[in-house]
Amino acid sequence: MDFRTAFMMRTYQMVGLAFIFVPQNVLAYVGVPREKNNQISSMNSFVRNIGGSIGIALIRLQFRGSRSSARIRS
């Protein structure tokens, strides 16, 4: 893969993430009093970290499974 292709793929990924995280943050803070912003921020970070960990684990599991099946076939 050349640099331009990798760069464009990463650019599309970042643009897509902007369309996910901005509405998520707006919805998280709607109707919450200002004095509870710290709790909302910590819960939002916690959920984002847990979601990222689960996503990484699932992708890793899928790659591990594809390598295991390749070994079985050969």
Side-chain angles (χ1 to χ4, degrees), residues 1-16:
M1 176 182 333
D2 64 334
F3 177 78
R4 183 172 173 11
T5 303
F7 176 79
M8 292 308 294
M9 288 173 65
R10 183 69 173 164
T11 301
Y12 295 144
Q13 181 184 24
M14 289 296 107
V15 169

Side-chain angles (χ1 to χ4, degrees), residues 10-28:
R10 183 69 173 164
T11 301
Y12 295 144
Q13 181 184 24
M14 289 296 107
V15 169
L17 286 175
F19 286 108
I20 293 172
F21 287 126
V22 173
Q24 173 199 0
N25 285 330
V26 169
L27 289 174

Side-chain angles (χ1 to χ4, degrees), residues 10-68:
R10 183 69 173 164
T11 301
Y12 295 144
Q13 181 184 24
M14 289 296 107
V15 169
L17 286 175
F19 286 108
I20 293 172
F21 287 126
V22 173
Q24 173 199 0
N25 285 330
V26 169
L27 289 174
Y29 286 96
V30 168
V32 177
R34 188 174 293 273
E35 57 273 359
K36 292 195 176 191
N37 278 350
N38 288 339
Q39 286 100 356
I40 296 299
S41 176
S42 63
M43 289 291 289
N44 200 10
S45 295
F46 174 74
V47 169
R48 189 179 298 173
N49 286 335
I50 294 297
S53 297
I54 292 171
I56 289 170
L58 290 174
I59 289 172
R60 189 168 171 183
L61 180 67
Q62 183 168 353
F63 281 134
R64 184 176 181 192
S66 65
R67 280 192 286 154
S68 296

